[in-house]
Amino acid sequence: MKTSRPLPVEVALAAGWPGAGGPPARLLVKVCGMRDAGALAGVAALAPDFLGFIFAAASPRFVGEALAPELVQKLPPTIGKVGVFVNETTGNMLTTAQRFGLGAVQLHGQETPAQCEELSAAGLLVMKAFAVGNAVDFVALQPYVPHCGFFLFDTKGLAPGGNGAIFDWNLLKRYHLPVPYFLAGGLGPEHAAELAALRLPGLAGVDLNSGFETAPGVKDVGKVRQLLAVLRPPVNP
């Protein structure tokens, strides 16, 4: 069985992530939907583990021409740069990844395990998103296991992502696959304490988006800081 692309070394070290050796020292934090240069600088200064950039034209957070590729390329190596795509061709994703200096792709459409394998073989960390309604189809996830570094579980809705609602996290208590995952869907600062105390099998991180915005694609740096302060409490000497 082929193994998935590992977490970038710089990101892993910054996050205290031991890889296959056990659970992370803390939850990984990904802030998605970045498209405003000012907010990008402010959020990057808070050192999240990942920043996500949406390259799906139908999204109100579509990067388009809003961000110069150089701004993304120059982000610290300790922050993973993730391109979010929906049913895009492998060639276009690889071209975008090279242009913006992305190290990972997040796939929010009907991408196949074979396409995930292509992207992983090209050197990208693959995050495959799955929409969750009233149940999680664990059998359907199995073919993706060898080719994905992470799964991402988002709330099922009219859009591929960013529907602004949470799903029943208890559905993941039966999770038993070896791929760690991010929790997404309607998360806001009000969930900080609950997330910090959350214990679910396979849970590796949280994905922050619309609940931390002043406008689509414009993140509220103060709200992100507020959540990080709870998820990353100071360590007493």
Side-chain angles (χ1 to χ4, degrees):
M1 177 181 289
K2 294 183 179 180
T3 56
S4 60
R5 179 64 50 181
L7 193 66
V9 173
E10 295 90 348
V11 178
L13 290 175
W17 175 265
R26 57 165 174 76
L27 284 177
L28 300 171
V29 176
K30 175 176 171 286
V31 184
C32 199
M34 306 299 300
R35 70 184 304 270
D36 176 80
L40 175 61
V43 172
L46 300 177
D49 301 295
F50 294 93
L51 287 171
F53 305 88
I54 297 177
F55 295 96
S59 171
R61 298 167 184 86
F62 175 48
V63 170
E65 301 300 323
L67 280 177
E70 293 77 16
L71 292 179
V72 180
Q73 294 170 4
K74 293 178 180 178
L75 289 168
T78 51
I79 299 176
K81 300 181 283 293
V82 185
V84 181
F85 300 91
V86 179
N87 298 326
E88 187 55 83
T89 67
T90 298
N92 284 345
M93 283 190 273
L94 293 178
T95 297
T96 301
Q98 183 175 27
R99 183 181 178 213
F100 284 84
L102 307 176
V105 290
Q106 180 177 314
L107 310 178
H108 260 275
Q110 286 73 51
E111 298 85 7
T112 64
Q115 188 172 30
C116 294
E117 182 178 15
E118 290 175 351
L119 293 162
S120 181
L124 293 170
L125 173 71
V126 178
M127 301 178 169
K128 181 67 182 80
F130 297 94
V132 179
N134 296 321
V136 179
D137 187 349
F138 295 109
V139 174
L141 303 180
Q142 189 67 51
Y144 290 89
V145 167
H147 315 302
C148 297
F150 293 99
F151 291 150
L152 182 144
F153 295 113
D154 201 353
T155 307
K156 189 174 184 178
L158 295 177
N163 290 289
I166 64 173
F167 64 89
D168 183 2
W169 301 339
N170 289 319
L171 295 172
L172 293 170
K173 286 184 175 180
R174 293 178 48 245
Y175 189 81
H176 58 279
L177 299 175
V179 178
Y181 63 84
F182 279 75
L183 192 64
L187 301 180
E190 68 274 15
H191 298 112
E194 188 177 4
L195 291 171
L198 191 60
R199 298 293 182 269
L200 289 171
L203 177 63
V206 294
D207 185 89
L208 316 180
N209 199 340
S210 60
F212 294 82
E213 291 183 331
T214 58
V218 183
K219 295 299 181 282
D220 185 321
V221 177
K223 286 185 177 181
V224 177
R225 182 185 295 110
Q226 178 183 339
L227 184 91
L228 288 175
V230 178
L231 295 185
R232 301 176 179 179
V235 179
N236 294 323

